[in-house]
Amino acid sequence: MIPPSTPLRPLSSPSLNGALLQQFTLRHWRLFPSRSLLLLLLLSLGIAVFLSIRLANRAAVSSFTNFTEVLTRQSDLILSSPAGPLPETVLDTLRERCKFPQLPSAHIEIVPVVETICAQPQSDDANRIGSRPTFTLLGVDLVALQNFAAEAHLDTSWAGQKNAAAPSTPNPNSLEDLLHKNNAAFCSSALAQRLSLQVGSLLPVILNDCEVQLEIVGIIPHRADQPAPPAGLLVMDLPALQTLSDKVGLLDRVELFFPPSLKKGPLREQLVEQISTALAPSISARTPVARQAAAELMTRGFRLNLTILSLLSLLVGLYLIFQALDAAVVRRRAEIAILRALGVREWEVRRAWLWEAALLGGGGGVVGVLGGWALAQVAVRAVSKTVNALYYANNAEAAGLHWGEALGAFVLSVGCSILAGWLPAKRAASIPPAQAWAQGSAAPAGNSRSSSQLGWCLVALAIMLAFLPPLRMSGGSRFALAGYLSALLGVVGAGLIAGDALKIAAWCGHLVSQNSAPLRLAISHLRAPTSRHRWAAAALLCAVSMTGGMAVLVSSFEQSVSAWITHTLQADLFLTSGANQAASAYNRLPSTLWRQIVQNPDVLDWDTSLMIPAELPNAQIRLVGSSLAFAKRHQQLSWLQTPSNNSIFDPEHNASLCLVSETFAIRFNVQKNDVIRIPTPKGARELQICGVYTDYGDEQGLVLVEGRHLADWFDTDAVSTLCLSLKPGVDAEQHRALLQTAHPSLSIFTNVHLRAEVMRIFRQTFAITYALEAIGVIVALAGLGITLATILAERKTELTTLRALGMSQADIAALAAWEGCLLALAGAIGGLLSSIGLGALLIFVINKQTFGWTLQPSLPWLPLLLLGFCVPLCGTLLAWCVGRHGADLPADRPL
C-alpha cells in the first residue's frame, strides 16, 4: 500500500502523448472508420484540386522554354529586338562592339536562332481555332553547333547522321548532304513516337500561307544529363528555315554561351553589363531565367485566379474538419472529464487535439498529393488549351510531380488542419471536469449572438477592403490583394451569419408543420441550432456563394464579349494563316496573296491587320496596324474615351497618333492625350493617345496605329489577317468555300463561324472553373451528410425513445430529411444572396484590377435558380439516406 504522503508519479511526456494518441484519438478512428475515412478523403480532395492546378500551371509555364538548351546547354544571355526580328548584321555589330580583353584564352560562343510556329494540316474542313497540332520550328547553324559541341564536349552527333537512333561520331559528309536540303528537319523522340515518324518520313506542316513537306533526317535523343526535348520541337538548319519562313537575313534572337570560367562570379556580371550597355537601346539582353519569368508574368493573373479558386474545396474541407473535431469534443466530454480529473493538464489535452488535427491533415496531405498528381494529368490539358489560346503556344500534355509543390501542398494540409482544430482544442481543454461530466454528450447550442456580430464585422471589413487599390508589380501587372481578402472575409462573414438563416428557415417551416410530426421535430432542433448546424450551413453557403459569384462573373463576361464581337466583327469573311493556332503564332500572309484576294469583283470593302509583339520596359505588349478609316466606317471600336481629334482617322496626318486598349491604359496608367514611346526597328516612336477602346481578346495591352505606318516602320507588306466585306447578294459561305479550295493552308471564317469560335474559346477558358465549383459544392454536400450523421449519433437516446414510442422508420428518415432540407435551404439561399455581392466584387474590383476589363453586369437567373433548387434537393436526399440508416437500427441498439 502506498503511503498517503507519497506523491503519485505522473507519466512522462512521451508516454502520456503515446497513451493519449492510442486511446483518445486512434481508438475513436477505429470505432468509426467510415466517418474518419470520408473526412480524410474530403480533405485530400481539396488538397488534390489545389495541387493539380499548381502542377498544371507549372507544366504550362515550363513549356515556354529556351529550346536551344536541349541542343547544347542553357545559354547565358539572350539578345533580341524590343520589336520585330533582328537583322543578321547584328552578329557583326556584336563582334565589333563587344571586345573582351578579360578573355585571353576563351571566347563567347554566338548562336543565332530563328524560331517560328507551324501547324499540322487537318484532314477535315472544321476550321476550329486551336484544333490543329502545332510545332515549334527552331533554326540553328548546324555547322557552328557541331563546332561548339566539340569544344564544350557535348554530344550532338545526331545532327550529323542520317540515322540518329544510335549516335556515335559526327559524320561531316552526312552533315554536308543535309545542308543542301531546304526541308531537312530533326524531331524529338516524343514527336516521332506520337506521329509514327522515322528517318526518311515526310511531315506536312503549314507555315505562313504554304504547306511544306519536312523530311525527318534525325531523331533528337533524350539524354539523362540534358533536358528532355519538348514534344513539339523540330530543328532545322538556320538558312533553310529562314527561307521557308520568309525571314532571309533576319533572326529572332541570338544566344550567347560564356566559357565555363565565366559561368558565375562578378566577372560574369561585369560581362553581362558590358554587352547590355554596348548594344542598348536597339537590342535587349536578358538571361534565360528572365525570359522564363516573362512568361510567368504574362500568365500571372490567370494562374493566380485558378489557384485561389482551387482553394474553394479546401476552404469547405476546413469547415468539415472544424465540425468533426468540434463534434468529437462533444462526444468525448466524459473522457475529457476523466482525464482532467486524473491530473492531465489543460495544455496536454489541447496538444492531444492538435495532434489529432495534424494527423488528419497529414493523412489528407499524403492522399491529396497522390490524387493531385493524377488530377493534374487531366487539368494540364484544360490549362494548356487556355494558355495556348490567350498567351503563348505550348505543348504541355502531362504534368510531373514537382516535389516542391508537393511539399507545399502537404504543409498546407497539415497547417490548415491544425488551424481548423485550434478552436475545438481550446474548447476541449478549457471545460472544467465537473461541467464536462454533467453535460455528457449533449450538443450545446451555438452562440448565435457572438457569431452574428463577428460575421457582420467581417462583412463590413470586406466592404471597406473592396475600395482599396491593387498592388502594382513589375511589368505593370497588378495584384488585387485587397479584393481577394475582401472576397474571403465576405464569404466567411456571411457564413457566420448563416446561423440566423437557420432560424428563419425554422420559422418558415413552422408555417406548414401542423400535420407533420417529423417536420415539427426538425424545426425544434433548428430553433436553437448547435455549432455543427451553423458550420454545416456556413460550408454550404461558402460553396454556393463562390459558385454563384463565379456564375455572375461568367455571365457578365459572356454578355460583354458577345456584345463586343457583335460590334467588332462586322466583315463577312476573315482570313489568316492556318498555322495561327496559338496566341503567340505570328504567321503572315504575303502581299502577293492578299492583294490577289481583294481584287475579286465580289469584294466590296476590305482591311488588313498586322500584329507585332513588342517589349516595353519589363512588359510585353502587341502593336496592331490596320486601317483606322475602315474601323470608323464600320464602327468597329467600342469607346471608353472617344477621340476628340479626328486626325486619327486620316492616314495622311495620323503617323504620330495611336489608340490603346483599356488593358493597356490601366496596365501602364495612361489616358487620352498622354504620349507613349514605342520601339521599332527604325527607332523609338513617340505616339499621342487619341482614344481608349475596349478589347476582350488581349490581356497584355494593344497599341493600334495606322496600318501603312506600322508596315513602313517594320519594312513589311505582309499581314496577319485579312477581312472582306462582300457585295450585297454574294453568299459568304459559298465565297469562303471557293477561297478555301484555292488556298487550303489558310483558315477562313465566315462572320457567324468566327463569332461562334470566339464564344467557344471563351467557354473553354472557363471549363476548368466549372469543375472546381462543382467539386466545392460536392464537398459541402458531403459535409452536410457527415454533420447529420454526427448529430443523429448524439441523439441516440432521443431516437431510441422515438422508436420505442412507435415512430416508424419512414418517420425518422423524414425527420432527418426535413432537417437536412432546411439546413441546405438556409445555406443555399444565404449563398445565393451573398453570391450577388461576391459577383459584383469579382466584376468591378478583382477582374478590373487584375485584367483591366470593364464588364457589363448580368445576373444569370436560370443557373442561379437551378443551383438554389439542386442544392436543397441533394441535401434532402442525402439527409434521408442518413436518416434511413439510423432508422434501420433496432430500438434497443444505439446508433
Side-chain angles (χ1 to χ4, degrees):
M1 184 173 178
I2 302 175
S5 59
T6 305
L8 292 175
R9 293 184 179 180
L11 289 172
S12 64
S13 181
S15 300
L16 179 60
N17 290 338
L20 289 177
L21 182 63
Q22 286 289 334
Q23 300 299 322
F24 197 61
T25 298
L26 299 183
R27 181 171 64 87
H28 287 277
W29 287 12
R30 290 192 298 267
L31 289 175
F32 304 98
S34 58
R35 187 184 306 167
S36 302
L37 180 61
L38 180 58
L39 187 63
L40 186 144
L41 290 178
L42 291 177
L43 174 63
S44 67
L45 180 59
I47 293 297
V49 170
F50 170 77
L51 180 61
S52 66
I53 295 301
R54 296 285 300 176
L55 293 179
N57 286 334
R58 177 176 287 273
V61 172
S62 297
S63 67
F64 185 85
T65 185
N66 183 13
F67 287 113
T68 51
E69 66 180 275
V70 176
L71 311 180
T72 53
R73 63 177 184 267
Q74 189 179 58
S75 59
D76 296 284
L77 201 62
I78 300 176
L79 308 180
S80 60
S81 171
L86 289 169
E88 275 191 345
T89 54
V90 72
L91 300 177
D92 297 330
T93 303
L94 182 62
R95 297 185 182 97
E96 291 174 0
R97 294 186 182 179
C98 300
K99 305 297 183 180
F100 311 113
Q102 65 269 47
L103 302 177
S105 59
H107 66 282
I108 296 176
E109 192 68 34
I110 301 175
V111 178
V113 178
V114 168
E115 182 178 331
T116 190
I117 295 174
C118 61
Q120 191 175 8
Q122 56 187 23
S123 56
D124 58 5
D125 192 27
N127 257 351
R128 288 171 62 90
I129 299 175
S131 62
R132 303 182 183 187
T134 59
F135 313 111
T136 298
L137 267 174
L138 192 69
V140 294
D141 189 340
L142 294 180
V143 176
L145 181 62
Q146 288 284 3
N147 296 334
F148 173 51
E151 294 178 3
H153 305 290
L154 299 173
D155 182 8
T156 56
S157 56
W158 52 270
Q161 295 186 0
K162 293 184 178 180
N163 184 359
S168 54
T169 57
N171 188 340
N173 294 328
S174 298
L175 180 58
E176 185 177 353
D177 293 338
L178 296 178
L179 297 181
H180 291 289
K181 296 182 178 181
N182 61 0
N183 66 335
F186 301 89
C187 72
S188 64
S189 56
L191 182 61
Q193 183 177 5
R194 187 176 68 188
L195 300 181
S196 300
L197 299 175
Q198 56 185 349
V199 175
S201 298
L202 293 179
L203 176 63
V205 298
I206 295 176
L207 195 58
N208 289 328
D209 65 317
C210 301
E211 181 176 318
V212 180
Q213 298 286 336
L214 298 181
E215 180 183 350
I216 302 301
V217 295
I219 310 298
I220 305 173
H222 178 197
R223 290 183 40 170
D225 59 342
Q226 292 184 1
L233 176 63
L234 295 168
V235 180
M236 298 185 65
D237 189 39
L238 180 66
L241 184 55
Q242 285 177 313
T243 302
L244 289 179
S245 60
D246 197 23
K247 293 182 179 179
V248 176
L250 300 175
L251 303 172
D252 286 307
R253 64 178 183 269
V254 177
E255 306 208 7
L256 304 184
F257 296 84
F258 296 168
S261 59
L262 292 179
K263 286 296 180 182
K264 296 180 180 180
L267 190 57
R268 179 187 185 279
E269 301 301 325
Q270 179 183 350
L271 192 60
V272 170
E273 181 65 25
Q274 181 180 346
I275 295 174
S276 302
T277 303
L279 298 177
S282 59
I283 299 175
S284 64
R286 56 182 174 179
T287 63
V289 175
R291 188 170 184 260
Q292 184 83 11
E296 295 180 357
L297 178 64
M298 194 183 305
T299 60
R300 178 185 290 169
F302 168 73
R303 292 182 292 111
L304 183 62
N305 277 350
L306 277 185
T307 300
I308 291 177
L309 188 59
S310 69
L311 291 173
L312 168 62
S313 55
L314 180 59
L315 178 61
V316 176
L318 295 184
Y319 277 120
L320 303 186
I321 293 175
F322 179 86
Q323 292 179 65
L325 294 179
D326 189 59
V329 171
V330 176
R331 291 196 306 271
R332 305 179 201 173
R333 283 181 184 273
E335 296 181 29
I336 296 173
I338 294 173
L339 290 174
R340 293 295 307 280
L342 290 176
V344 177
R345 288 163 289 187
E346 181 178 329
W347 65 269
E348 291 172 328
V349 174
R350 185 187 302 115
R351 185 173 59 184
W353 285 102
L354 293 179
W355 267 112
E356 182 169 352
L359 287 175
L360 187 62
V366 171
V367 178
V369 166
L370 297 177
W373 175 78
L375 285 177
Q377 310 315 311
V378 179
V380 68
R381 291 175 175 82
V383 173
S384 178
K385 287 181 180 179
T386 301
V387 172
N388 201 60
L390 300 181
Y391 301 103
Y392 50 78
N394 73 100
N395 298 288
E397 296 182 348
L401 182 58
H402 188 271
W403 291 109
E405 296 285 2
L407 180 61
F410 179 82
V411 172
L412 179 66
S413 177
V414 175
C416 290
S417 297
I418 293 175
L419 180 64
W422 178 82
L423 186 58
K426 182 177 181 296
R427 182 179 301 172
S430 61
I431 299 177
Q435 181 182 347
W437 187 270
Q439 290 180 350
S441 61
N447 190 340
S448 60
R449 184 174 182 180
S450 60
S451 296
S452 298
Q453 289 176 348
L454 178 59
W456 286 113
C457 289
L458 291 179
V459 170
L461 181 58
I463 294 175
M464 289 187 290
L465 287 173
F467 291 95
L468 295 181
L471 298 179
R472 287 193 170 269
M473 296 177 289
S474 60
S477 63
R478 301 164 306 282
F479 178 40
L481 176 60
Y484 287 119
L485 288 177
S486 175
L488 175 62
L489 295 180
V491 170
V492 173
L496 293 176
I497 303 171
D500 296 332
L502 291 176
K503 296 180 180 180
I504 297 174
W507 178 80
C508 294
H510 176 72
L511 300 178
V512 294
S513 65
Q514 288 80 4
N515 299 322
S516 174
L519 177 56
R520 289 200 301 271
L521 286 172
I523 290 173
S524 68
H525 293 130
L526 294 181
R527 283 175 175 168
T530 66
S531 60
R532 275 172 305 294
H533 284 109
R534 292 178 173 277
W535 288 109
L540 272 174
L541 184 143
C542 172
V544 172
S545 177
M546 291 294 290
T547 303
M550 285 303 300
V552 173
L553 173 64
V554 172
S555 176
S556 302
F557 213 135
E558 185 171 6
Q559 177 174 294
S560 301
V561 171
S562 179
W564 170 66
I565 61 175
T566 301
H567 199 275
T568 304
L569 304 179
Q570 297 188 17
D572 295 305
L573 293 176
F574 301 85
L575 298 83
T576 187
S577 169
N580 290 334
Q581 300 292 306
S584 60
Y586 296 102
N587 286 267
R588 298 177 184 173
L589 308 180
S591 61
T592 53
L593 173 65
W594 66 262
R595 291 185 189 279
Q596 173 191 352
I597 293 175
V598 300
Q599 289 175 0
N600 190 295
D602 290 336
V603 176
L604 176 65
D605 201 358
W606 56 271
D607 186 27
T608 61
S609 177
L610 175 63
M611 181 172 289
I612 298 175
E615 181 182 342
L616 297 185
N618 299 321
Q620 295 285 336
I621 64 165
R622 290 174 181 171
L623 302 177
V624 182
S626 63
S627 172
L628 300 181
F630 181 91
K632 182 181 180 181
R633 286 198 304 272
H634 295 273
Q635 298 181 349
Q636 288 185 329
L637 299 176
S638 299
W639 299 109
L640 290 176
Q641 296 181 18
T642 307
S644 54
N645 184 359
N646 287 328
S647 298
I648 183 65
F649 302 109
D650 184 358
E652 302 298 329
H653 301 89
N654 62 5
S656 61
L657 306 176
C658 72
L659 304 171
V660 299
S661 66
E662 178 187 16
T663 53
F664 182 96
I666 294 179
R667 185 180 184 188
F668 297 99
N669 196 25
V670 295
Q671 56 185 344
K672 187 170 69 173
N673 297 326
D674 287 348
V675 176
I676 59 176
R677 190 176 179 87
I678 300 298
T680 74
K682 295 184 177 180
R685 300 277 173 173
E686 290 190 349
L687 303 175
Q688 183 182 20
I689 299 174
C690 287
V692 180
Y693 65 97
T694 298
D695 187 287
Y696 297 106
D698 187 274
E699 178 192 333
Q700 305 303 309
L702 300 174
V703 176
L704 178 60
V705 299
E706 184 66 37
R708 69 168 68 174
H709 303 317
L710 189 67
D712 177 64
W713 298 340
F714 286 85
D715 281 328
T716 181
D717 52 7
V719 299
S720 302
T721 59
L722 170 66
C723 60
L724 305 176
S725 293
L726 304 178
K727 293 181 178 179
V730 178
D731 186 85
E733 189 59 48
Q734 291 182 1
H735 196 81
R736 188 204 74 84
L738 293 175
L739 286 175
Q740 192 72 75
T741 302
H743 309 285
S745 298
L746 301 185
S747 288
I748 307 176
F749 303 92
T750 63
N751 187 293
V752 174
H753 188 190
L754 184 57
R755 291 185 185 186
E757 281 295 286
V758 172
M759 296 309 300
R760 180 186 65 82
I761 294 175
F762 162 78
R763 295 186 180 97
Q764 172 185 293
T765 302
F766 287 98
I768 193 170
T769 300
Y770 301 140
L772 295 177
E773 294 170 359
I775 290 174
V777 175
I778 291 172
V779 171
L781 288 173
L784 175 62
I786 294 178
T787 300
L788 289 174
T790 303
I791 291 174
L792 290 178
E794 294 171 356
R795 299 180 194 157
K796 58 184 179 181
T797 303
E798 176 186 338
L799 294 179
T800 302
T801 303
L802 291 175
R803 289 291 309 277
L805 292 175
M807 182 170 278
S808 66
Q809 295 179 353
D811 289 335
I812 294 180
L815 164 63
W818 276 114
E819 192 167 350
C821 175
L822 294 177
L823 263 173
L825 192 62
I829 293 177
L832 291 177
L833 292 176
S834 63
S835 69
I836 297 176
L838 181 60
L841 180 69
L842 292 171
I843 293 170
F844 299 111
V845 179
I846 294 179
N847 162 75
K848 183 73 173 180
Q849 293 181 356
T850 303
F851 299 105
W853 288 320
T854 297
L855 303 180
Q856 300 300 320
S858 172
L859 281 179
W861 294 108
L862 183 60
L864 291 180
L865 291 176
L866 187 62
L867 181 65
F869 173 77
C870 290
V871 169
L873 177 62
C874 293
T876 302
L877 294 176
L878 183 62
W880 185 89
C881 294
V882 173
R884 184 69 183 177
H885 170 71
D888 283 338
L889 295 177
D892 58 348
R893 189 171 125 204
L895 186 65

